[in-house]
Amino acid sequence: MARDTTPLLAAVGSLPGSNIIQDHPPFLRASHSPWNWIPQRLLVKLRGLVVAYLTGTGIMTAYYKLTEFTDHPKWYLLFHFGVLSFILSHFWHLVTFAWTFTHLYYQTVDDVDGVEGWFIRLMSLPSNMGNLRKQFNFTMFYTTTTAFSFMNAISYWFVTRPHNPDATSTEGPYLLGEGWFKSFALFSLYTTPAIVMIVEILFFNSIKRPQALGAHLIGLSSLSGLYLGWATLGGHLTGCFPFYWLNPEFVGSNEAVAAYCMGFVGLAPLMFVLKQGFIGLREGLTNAPSRMREVVRETFMDN
Protein backbone atom coordinates (compact mmCIF):
# COMPACT_ATOMS: atom_id res chain seq x y z
CA MET A 1 0.00 0.00 0.00
CA ALA A 2 1.27 3.47 -0.87
CA ARG A 3 2.17 5.67 2.03
CA ASP A 4 2.25 9.44 2.05
CA THR A 5 5.70 9.35 3.61
CA THR A 6 8.24 6.74 2.60
CA PRO A 7 11.24 7.01 4.93
CA LEU A 8 14.80 6.64 3.77
CA LEU A 9 15.89 3.30 5.22
CA ALA A 10 19.47 2.06 5.36
CA ALA A 11 20.54 -1.54 4.82
CA VAL A 12 17.31 -2.37 2.98
CA GLY A 13 17.01 -3.44 -0.64
CA SER A 14 20.72 -3.32 -1.50
CA LEU A 15 21.20 0.03 0.21
CA PRO A 16 24.42 0.69 2.12
CA GLY A 17 24.35 -0.18 5.78
CA SER A 18 25.17 1.99 8.76
CA ASN A 19 28.89 1.21 8.50
CA ILE A 20 29.15 2.95 5.11
CA ILE A 21 30.02 6.64 4.90
CA GLN A 22 27.21 7.39 2.42
CA ASP A 23 23.98 7.13 4.41
CA HIS A 24 21.68 6.85 1.37
CA PRO A 25 22.45 6.53 -2.33
CA PRO A 26 21.63 9.52 -4.57
CA PHE A 27 19.06 7.47 -6.51
CA LEU A 28 16.91 7.21 -3.40
CA ARG A 29 17.53 10.80 -2.40
CA ALA A 30 16.31 11.91 -5.84
CA SER A 31 12.94 10.41 -4.94
CA HIS A 32 12.54 12.23 -1.61
CA SER A 33 12.07 15.89 -0.85
CA PRO A 34 13.96 17.20 2.20
CA TRP A 35 10.95 19.30 3.23
CA ASN A 36 8.35 17.92 5.65
CA TRP A 37 5.60 19.89 3.91
CA ILE A 38 6.25 18.02 0.63
CA PRO A 39 5.21 14.40 1.35
CA GLN A 40 5.61 11.68 -1.23
CA ARG A 41 2.14 11.97 -2.73
CA LEU A 42 2.54 15.70 -3.26
CA LEU A 43 6.05 15.20 -4.64
CA VAL A 44 4.72 12.75 -7.24
CA LYS A 45 2.09 15.29 -8.33
CA LEU A 46 4.59 18.13 -8.50
CA ARG A 47 7.04 16.09 -10.53
CA GLY A 48 4.22 15.03 -12.84
CA LEU A 49 3.25 18.66 -13.40
CA VAL A 50 6.85 19.58 -14.24
CA VAL A 51 7.12 16.70 -16.73
CA ALA A 52 3.81 17.69 -18.35
CA TYR A 53 4.90 21.33 -18.58
CA LEU A 54 8.29 20.50 -20.06
CA THR A 55 6.67 18.14 -22.56
CA GLY A 56 4.16 20.75 -23.70
CA THR A 57 6.66 23.59 -23.92
CA GLY A 58 9.16 21.26 -25.61
CA ILE A 59 6.70 20.52 -28.40
CA MET A 60 5.91 24.21 -28.86
CA THR A 61 9.58 25.18 -28.82
CA ALA A 62 10.47 22.44 -31.30
CA TYR A 63 7.78 23.71 -33.66
CA TYR A 64 9.18 27.23 -33.40
CA LYS A 65 12.79 26.21 -33.96
CA LEU A 66 11.90 23.97 -36.90
CA THR A 67 10.04 26.81 -38.62
CA GLU A 68 12.38 29.64 -37.57
CA PHE A 69 15.10 29.06 -40.16
CA THR A 70 14.37 27.78 -43.64
CA ASP A 71 17.89 28.21 -45.07
CA HIS A 72 19.48 25.53 -42.86
CA PRO A 73 18.90 21.77 -42.54
CA LYS A 74 16.38 20.86 -39.85
CA TRP A 75 18.88 18.55 -38.20
CA TYR A 76 21.06 21.49 -37.17
CA LEU A 77 19.09 21.29 -33.90
CA LEU A 78 21.09 18.16 -33.05
CA PHE A 79 24.05 20.46 -32.37
CA HIS A 80 22.15 23.24 -30.59
CA PHE A 81 23.24 23.76 -26.97
CA GLY A 82 19.83 25.03 -25.89
CA VAL A 83 18.15 21.93 -27.30
CA LEU A 84 20.69 19.67 -25.58
CA SER A 85 20.17 21.42 -22.24
CA PHE A 86 16.39 21.20 -22.55
CA ILE A 87 16.51 17.49 -23.45
CA LEU A 88 18.80 16.71 -20.51
CA SER A 89 16.54 18.58 -18.10
CA HIS A 90 13.42 16.93 -19.50
CA PHE A 91 14.98 13.49 -19.30
CA TRP A 92 16.11 14.09 -15.70
CA HIS A 93 12.61 15.06 -14.59
CA LEU A 94 11.04 12.17 -16.52
CA VAL A 95 13.35 9.64 -14.82
CA THR A 96 12.98 11.07 -11.33
CA PHE A 97 9.20 11.24 -11.72
CA ALA A 98 9.13 7.56 -12.68
CA TRP A 99 11.35 6.63 -9.73
CA THR A 100 9.31 8.67 -7.25
CA PHE A 101 6.03 7.24 -8.56
CA THR A 102 7.08 3.60 -8.47
CA HIS A 103 8.91 4.02 -5.15
CA LEU A 104 5.64 5.20 -3.59
CA TYR A 105 3.06 2.98 -5.29
CA TYR A 106 5.06 -0.15 -6.24
CA GLN A 107 7.42 -0.89 -3.37
CA THR A 108 7.26 -4.64 -4.14
CA VAL A 109 7.83 -4.87 -7.87
CA ASP A 110 8.18 -8.67 -7.86
CA ASP A 111 4.46 -9.02 -7.15
CA VAL A 112 3.56 -7.56 -10.55
CA ASP A 113 3.78 -9.92 -13.56
CA GLY A 114 3.48 -9.62 -17.31
CA VAL A 115 3.93 -6.51 -19.38
CA GLU A 116 2.87 -4.31 -16.48
CA GLY A 117 5.56 -5.80 -14.29
CA TRP A 118 8.20 -5.28 -16.97
CA PHE A 119 7.15 -1.66 -17.40
CA ILE A 120 7.11 -1.03 -13.64
CA ARG A 121 10.57 -2.54 -13.26
CA LEU A 122 11.77 -0.31 -16.11
CA MET A 123 10.46 2.75 -14.27
CA SER A 124 11.72 1.67 -10.85
CA LEU A 125 14.89 2.61 -9.02
CA PRO A 126 17.99 0.77 -10.28
CA SER A 127 19.23 -2.38 -8.63
CA ASN A 128 22.38 -2.46 -6.51
CA MET A 129 22.09 1.21 -5.59
CA GLY A 130 25.08 0.88 -3.29
CA ASN A 131 27.43 0.47 -6.26
CA LEU A 132 29.82 3.43 -6.15
CA ARG A 133 30.35 3.50 -9.91
CA LYS A 134 26.61 3.73 -10.47
CA GLN A 135 26.37 6.49 -7.89
CA PHE A 136 29.15 8.49 -9.55
CA ASN A 137 27.62 8.12 -13.02
CA PHE A 138 24.26 9.27 -11.71
CA THR A 139 25.62 12.28 -9.83
CA MET A 140 27.73 13.16 -12.87
CA PHE A 141 24.58 13.15 -14.98
CA TYR A 142 22.86 15.32 -12.36
CA THR A 143 25.80 17.72 -12.30
CA THR A 144 26.00 17.93 -16.09
CA THR A 145 22.27 18.52 -16.49
CA THR A 146 22.27 21.28 -13.89
CA ALA A 147 25.47 22.98 -15.05
CA PHE A 148 24.47 22.88 -18.74
CA SER A 149 21.08 24.39 -17.87
CA PHE A 150 22.77 27.26 -16.04
CA MET A 151 25.34 27.72 -18.82
CA ASN A 152 22.56 27.76 -21.40
CA ALA A 153 20.74 30.59 -19.62
CA ILE A 154 23.86 32.65 -18.96
CA SER A 155 25.17 32.23 -22.52
CA TYR A 156 21.87 33.41 -23.93
CA TRP A 157 21.16 36.37 -21.63
CA PHE A 158 24.70 37.72 -21.34
CA VAL A 159 26.32 36.78 -24.67
CA THR A 160 23.95 35.78 -27.47
CA ARG A 161 21.09 38.17 -26.77
CA PRO A 162 23.26 41.33 -26.37
CA HIS A 163 25.17 40.40 -29.54
CA ASN A 164 22.08 40.06 -31.73
CA PRO A 165 18.97 41.38 -29.95
CA ASP A 166 16.92 41.58 -33.15
CA ALA A 167 17.15 37.82 -33.67
CA THR A 168 16.58 36.84 -30.03
CA SER A 169 13.81 39.19 -28.91
CA THR A 170 10.53 40.62 -30.11
CA GLU A 171 8.97 44.02 -29.98
CA GLY A 172 5.70 44.69 -28.22
CA PRO A 173 4.09 42.91 -25.25
CA TYR A 174 5.50 39.62 -24.07
CA LEU A 175 2.18 38.07 -22.99
CA LEU A 176 -0.76 37.47 -25.31
CA GLY A 177 0.42 40.14 -27.73
CA GLU A 178 1.99 40.15 -31.15
CA GLY A 179 5.09 38.01 -31.12
CA TRP A 180 4.26 36.28 -27.83
CA PHE A 181 4.91 32.81 -29.22
CA LYS A 182 8.50 33.63 -30.16
CA SER A 183 9.15 35.16 -26.74
CA PHE A 184 7.61 32.14 -25.01
CA ALA A 185 9.61 29.69 -27.12
CA LEU A 186 12.89 31.50 -26.48
CA PHE A 187 12.21 31.74 -22.75
CA SER A 188 11.29 28.05 -22.60
CA LEU A 189 14.40 27.00 -24.48
CA TYR A 190 16.99 29.17 -22.77
CA THR A 191 15.62 29.89 -19.30
CA THR A 192 13.09 27.25 -18.25
CA PRO A 193 15.69 24.44 -17.82
CA ALA A 194 17.66 26.56 -15.36
CA ILE A 195 14.53 27.48 -13.39
CA VAL A 196 13.27 23.92 -13.07
CA MET A 197 16.72 22.68 -12.04
CA ILE A 198 16.86 25.31 -9.27
CA VAL A 199 13.45 24.12 -8.08
CA GLU A 200 14.74 20.55 -8.32
CA ILE A 201 17.74 21.30 -6.12
CA LEU A 202 15.91 23.34 -3.51
CA PHE A 203 12.65 21.43 -3.16
CA PHE A 204 12.36 18.14 -5.07
CA ASN A 205 15.38 16.07 -4.04
CA SER A 206 17.69 15.64 -1.07
CA ILE A 207 20.85 14.69 -2.96
CA LYS A 208 23.93 15.77 -1.06
CA ARG A 209 27.02 17.43 -2.46
CA PRO A 210 29.23 14.81 -4.18
CA GLN A 211 32.37 13.63 -2.43
CA ALA A 212 34.48 13.26 -5.60
CA LEU A 213 34.60 16.99 -6.33
CA GLY A 214 37.73 16.81 -8.48
CA ALA A 215 36.34 14.03 -10.66
CA HIS A 216 33.11 15.96 -11.18
CA LEU A 217 34.96 19.14 -12.12
CA ILE A 218 37.22 17.32 -14.57
CA GLY A 219 34.31 15.38 -16.03
CA LEU A 220 32.15 18.49 -16.44
CA SER A 221 34.95 20.47 -18.09
CA SER A 222 35.68 17.54 -20.42
CA LEU A 223 32.03 17.23 -21.42
CA SER A 224 31.92 20.97 -22.12
CA GLY A 225 34.96 20.63 -24.36
CA LEU A 226 33.46 17.64 -26.14
CA TYR A 227 30.31 19.61 -26.80
CA LEU A 228 32.32 22.40 -28.41
CA GLY A 229 33.85 19.84 -30.75
CA TRP A 230 30.39 18.52 -31.56
CA ALA A 231 29.06 22.05 -32.08
CA THR A 232 31.95 22.97 -34.38
CA LEU A 233 31.33 19.85 -36.44
CA GLY A 234 27.66 20.74 -36.70
CA GLY A 235 28.49 24.27 -37.78
CA HIS A 236 30.65 23.05 -40.64
CA LEU A 237 28.13 20.41 -41.72
CA THR A 238 24.99 22.55 -41.56
CA GLY A 239 26.39 26.06 -42.04
CA CYS A 240 24.69 27.16 -38.80
CA PHE A 241 26.90 27.37 -35.71
CA PRO A 242 25.15 26.93 -32.33
CA PHE A 243 27.08 29.97 -31.04
CA TYR A 244 28.08 32.89 -33.23
CA TRP A 245 31.50 32.97 -31.60
CA LEU A 246 32.34 29.55 -32.99
CA ASN A 247 32.42 31.03 -36.46
CA PRO A 248 35.76 32.81 -37.22
CA GLU A 249 33.98 34.98 -39.78
CA PHE A 250 31.91 36.59 -37.01
CA VAL A 251 34.61 37.07 -34.37
CA GLY A 252 37.51 37.84 -36.70
CA SER A 253 40.04 35.06 -36.14
CA ASN A 254 40.61 31.53 -34.89
CA GLU A 255 42.36 32.99 -31.84
CA ALA A 256 39.17 34.78 -30.87
CA VAL A 257 37.23 31.52 -31.27
CA ALA A 258 39.74 29.78 -29.00
CA ALA A 259 39.35 32.52 -26.38
CA TYR A 260 35.56 32.15 -26.41
CA CYS A 261 35.91 28.37 -26.15
CA MET A 262 38.16 28.68 -23.11
CA GLY A 263 35.61 30.98 -21.53
CA PHE A 264 32.83 28.49 -22.20
CA VAL A 265 34.78 25.59 -20.68
CA GLY A 266 35.79 27.78 -17.74
CA LEU A 267 32.13 28.64 -17.13
CA ALA A 268 31.32 24.98 -16.42
CA PRO A 269 33.18 24.76 -13.07
CA LEU A 270 31.61 28.05 -11.98
CA MET A 271 28.15 26.61 -12.63
CA PHE A 272 29.14 23.54 -10.63
CA VAL A 273 30.04 25.84 -7.73
CA LEU A 274 26.66 27.57 -8.16
CA LYS A 275 24.93 24.20 -7.95
CA GLN A 276 26.88 23.39 -4.79
CA GLY A 277 25.78 26.71 -3.37
CA PHE A 278 22.11 25.93 -3.94
CA ILE A 279 22.56 22.54 -2.26
CA GLY A 280 24.29 24.21 0.69
CA LEU A 281 21.44 26.72 0.95
CA ARG A 282 18.87 23.94 0.98
CA GLU A 283 20.77 21.93 3.57
CA GLY A 284 21.15 25.00 5.75
CA LEU A 285 17.43 25.75 5.61
CA THR A 286 16.27 22.18 6.17
CA ASN A 287 18.75 21.56 8.99
CA ALA A 288 17.95 24.83 10.77
CA PRO A 289 15.17 23.38 12.98
CA SER A 290 17.37 20.53 14.23
CA ARG A 291 20.20 22.94 15.05
CA MET A 292 17.75 25.16 16.89
CA ARG A 293 16.56 22.19 18.94
CA GLU A 294 20.15 21.35 19.82
CA VAL A 295 20.80 24.91 20.96
CA VAL A 296 17.66 24.91 23.10
CA ARG A 297 18.54 21.55 24.63
CA GLU A 298 22.11 22.62 25.40
CA THR A 299 20.96 25.93 26.86
CA PHE A 300 18.00 24.91 28.98
CA MET A 301 18.34 21.17 29.63
CA ASP A 302 22.07 20.47 29.90
CA ASN A 303 22.70 23.39 32.30
Side-chain angles (χ1 to χ4, degrees):
M1 179 181 297
R3 293 177 293 173
D4 205 30
T5 57
T6 305
L8 290 164
L9 299 177
V12 176
S14 74
L15 303 187
S18 57
N19 59 331
I20 302 298
I21 296 178
Q22 296 85 2
D23 53 353
H24 303 290
F27 312 99
L28 196 59
R29 287 190 170 275
S31 306
H32 290 266
S33 170
W35 300 94
N36 294 330
W37 49 272
I38 304 183
Q40 287 299 100
R41 291 180 187 273
L42 177 59
L43 181 60
V44 170
K45 295 176 182 178
L46 292 175
R47 284 198 176 281
L49 288 175
V50 171
V51 170
Y53 178 79
L54 290 177
T55 301
T57 57
I59 294 174
M60 297 173 66
T61 302
Y63 173 80
Y64 167 74
K65 295 299 291 184
L66 289 173
T67 57
E68 178 184 14
F69 299 112
T70 57
D71 55 343
H72 297 297
K74 302 298 183 183
W75 51 280
Y76 85 97
L77 293 176
L78 295 174
F79 307 93
H80 197 279
F81 189 66
V83 173
L84 172 62
S85 301
F86 192 96
I87 291 176
L88 287 175
S89 179
H90 189 216
F91 183 69
W92 167 269
H93 286 280
L94 185 64
V95 169
T96 52
F97 166 72
W99 287 354
T100 306
F101 180 85
T102 54
H103 184 55
L104 176 64
Y105 293 103
Y106 295 91
Q107 299 181 28
T108 54
V109 184
D110 296 335
D111 296 339
V112 184
D113 300 324
V115 178
E116 181 184 1
W118 173 84
F119 186 69
I120 295 301
R121 281 188 288 272
L122 181 66
M123 294 175 57
S124 299
L125 289 161
S127 59
N128 191 18
M129 290 186 289
N131 185 283
L132 295 181
R133 182 177 294 276
K134 283 186 176 182
Q135 292 185 23
F136 174 80
N137 291 337
F138 177 68
T139 55
M140 190 68 238
F141 169 60
Y142 178 41
T143 296
T144 303
T145 300
T146 306
F148 276 20
S149 297
F150 293 166
M151 294 167 66
N152 179 43
I154 290 179
S155 297
Y156 171 73
W157 287 106
F158 295 100
V159 180
T160 303
R161 185 182 176 94
H163 170 75
N164 191 7
D166 294 334
T168 57
S169 61
T170 58
E171 297 181 356
Y174 280 85
L175 182 63
L176 300 180
E178 184 179 357
W180 73 268
F181 184 73
K182 179 180 180 180
S183 299
F184 177 79
L186 291 174
F187 184 86
S188 299
L189 181 63
Y190 296 110
T191 309
T192 297
I195 294 176
V196 296
M197 290 311 297
I198 291 175
V199 173
E200 170 72 26
I201 296 171
L202 294 178
F203 300 104
F204 284 2
N205 74 61
S206 57
I207 299 176
K208 293 184 176 181
R209 284 165 284 189
Q211 295 180 349
L213 296 179
H216 280 78
L217 286 172
I218 295 174
L220 183 59
S221 299
S222 300
L223 290 173
S224 300
L226 287 175
Y227 167 74
L228 290 178
W230 176 251
T232 303
L233 175 64
H236 288 294
L237 292 177
T238 64
C240 180
F241 287 85
F243 297 113
Y244 76 90
W245 43 263
L246 285 175
N247 190 345
E249 297 180 1
F250 278 91
V251 294
S253 65
N254 291 325
E255 289 77 9
V257 172
Y260 275 106
C261 290
M262 288 187 292
F264 182 83
V265 174
L267 181 63
L270 296 179
M271 296 303 97
F272 176 75
V273 173
L274 180 62
K275 167 182 170 288
Q276 299 291 84
F278 279 120
I279 295 177
L281 174 63
R282 183 201 68 209
E283 292 178 344
L285 293 174
T286 54
N287 292 333
S290 62
R291 290 201 298 267
M292 292 175 61
R293 287 193 296 268
E294 292 178 2
V295 171
V296 171
R297 184 177 62 253
E298 293 175 358
T299 304
F300 296 99
M301 299 182 63
D302 295 346
N303 295 331

